[in-house]
Amino acid sequence: MGVLPVPAEVRAILLDIEGTTTPIAFVQETLFPYIKDNVKDYLRAHWEEEECQRDVGLLRKQAQEDSSLDGAVPIPLESGSGEEELERVIQAVVDNVHWQMSLDRKTTALKQLQGHMWRAAYATGHVKGEIFEDVVPAIRKWREAGMKVYIYSSGSIEAQKLLFGYSTEGDILELFDGHFDTKIGPKVESESYRRIAASIGCATNNILFLTDVPREANAAEEADIHVAVVIRPGNAGLTDDEKSYYSLISSFTELFLPSST
């Protein structure tokens, strides 16, 4: 893969997280199992809190929208008739969360609850965000060269900030100029990248997007954003066509900035 020159017009670097800054294994083997294993206890402990009730309300609304889907799990309303009924409602929320996660869904309702659960896990030291060792030195170098650096992930902005705020490299939130999640749009739709460019205040061709997912790279390219596909241990393999079509890097150190000469 060697060195990849960054086009001269690029002013901002947009980063995916899973498989790009962070091992997929961390998300798949640490973060997601934590939710599955702890969601019932979390709901029981926080049920009366306003934030938890908002999360459940959002999940209930999503469940109504999903009612026609195969295997969808409805979440009944509470009628206030005792402990047994409360347990039934909580179990319905647990089953709904497990069902959504089994399909790897990215709904805002699911991501919001996960974000709040991870906040508690990070704050108590149960979880630390894993970062590839080339990431922090490279970002520091980009920033010294005048680049802005942003995150765009399907995980909520809150979950992103937790991962980087409680990371194996310490609190590295200062390295990022902003965060985007699916509230700005799905990562596989080109319009999302146009919205990000507008939000940042630059043209789409002033942005370089790094991701491990060709569908995301394709959507960004359609919006006239520069892309490079990141090859990391544990990432899904690329087809021969994808390998020959996309610019590929296996480390952030492989990016060569014109301004660094």
Side-chain angles (χ1 to χ4, degrees):
M1 276 163 263
V3 171
L4 177 66
V6 174
E9 68 263 31
V10 168
R11 300 285 175 269
I13 297 178
L14 184 64
L15 301 173
D16 168 50
I17 294 179
E18 185 180 351
T20 299
T21 65
T22 297
I24 281 180
F26 170 69
V27 179
Q28 301 296 344
E29 296 169 18
T30 300
L31 285 186
F32 287 159
Y34 180 86
I35 299 296
K36 287 179 181 173
D37 294 345
N38 293 280
V39 62
K40 183 180 276 190
D41 288 343
Y42 177 87
L43 291 168
R44 282 175 176 159
H46 299 277
W47 190 260
E48 300 300 330
E49 296 168 18
E50 191 179 324
E51 181 180 81
C52 186
Q53 282 302 304
R54 281 199 303 269
D55 292 348
V56 171
L58 210 55
L59 285 163
R60 187 177 280 120
K61 187 170 175 236
Q62 184 65 50
Q64 289 165 349
E65 291 172 17
D66 292 341
S67 59
S68 61
L69 298 180
D70 188 37
V73 181
I75 301 172
L77 286 163
E78 264 184 283
S79 62
S81 61
E83 200 67 32
E84 201 173 303
E85 192 221 21
L86 174 60
E87 276 300 308
R88 270 202 303 274
V89 176
I90 288 176
Q91 188 59 52
V93 178
V94 171
D95 292 344
N96 179 280
V97 167
H98 285 184
W99 172 72
Q100 289 203 60
M101 291 182 71
S102 73
L103 299 176
D104 194 27
R105 300 189 79 209
K106 314 284 188 190
T107 64
T108 298
L110 177 63
K111 293 296 174 187
Q112 183 168 296
L113 174 68
Q114 288 174 330
H116 292 152
M117 286 185 64
W118 287 325
R119 180 181 62 200
Y122 283 112
T124 55
H126 284 102
V127 172
K128 271 191 185 301
E130 289 183 33
I131 311 290
F132 286 113
E133 62 182 16
D134 58 277
V135 170
V136 170
I139 294 176
R140 290 196 196 283
K141 193 178 279 189
W142 301 342
R143 291 178 65 87
E144 284 165 15
M147 286 286 174
K148 300 281 192 182
V149 182
Y150 299 87
I151 296 291
Y152 181 28
S153 172
S154 55
S156 69
I157 288 173
E158 181 171 20
Q160 298 172 28
K161 289 183 174 179
L162 288 168
L163 192 154
F164 294 116
Y166 295 90
S167 86
T168 49
E169 303 291 324
D171 181 350
I172 57 170
L173 282 171
E174 65 179 20
L175 297 180
F176 305 108
D177 295 282
H179 298 257
F180 299 95
D181 59 17
T182 51
K183 284 181 180 171
I184 203 144
K187 294 178 76 182
V188 293
E189 291 183 7
S190 57
E191 188 56 35
S192 305
Y193 298 89
R194 295 187 188 97
R195 291 190 196 114
I196 287 173
S199 175
I200 290 171
C202 66
T204 52
N205 73 344
N206 295 144
I207 300 172
L208 170 66
F209 178 46
L210 304 183
T211 178
D212 63 310
V213 181
R215 283 183 69 210
E216 295 174 4
N218 185 52
E221 242 190 6
E222 284 178 5
D224 201 26
I225 279 178
H226 298 281
V227 300
V229 172
V230 185
I231 312 295
R232 297 284 199 185
N235 287 5
L238 302 177
T239 66
D240 288 341
D241 285 348
E242 288 165 347
K243 285 177 188 171
S244 60
Y245 179 76
Y246 290 110
S247 298
L248 308 176
I249 59 170
S250 59
S251 165
F252 285 6
T253 59
E254 292 169 14
L255 288 183
F256 177 76
L257 272 53
S259 53
S260 61
T261 53

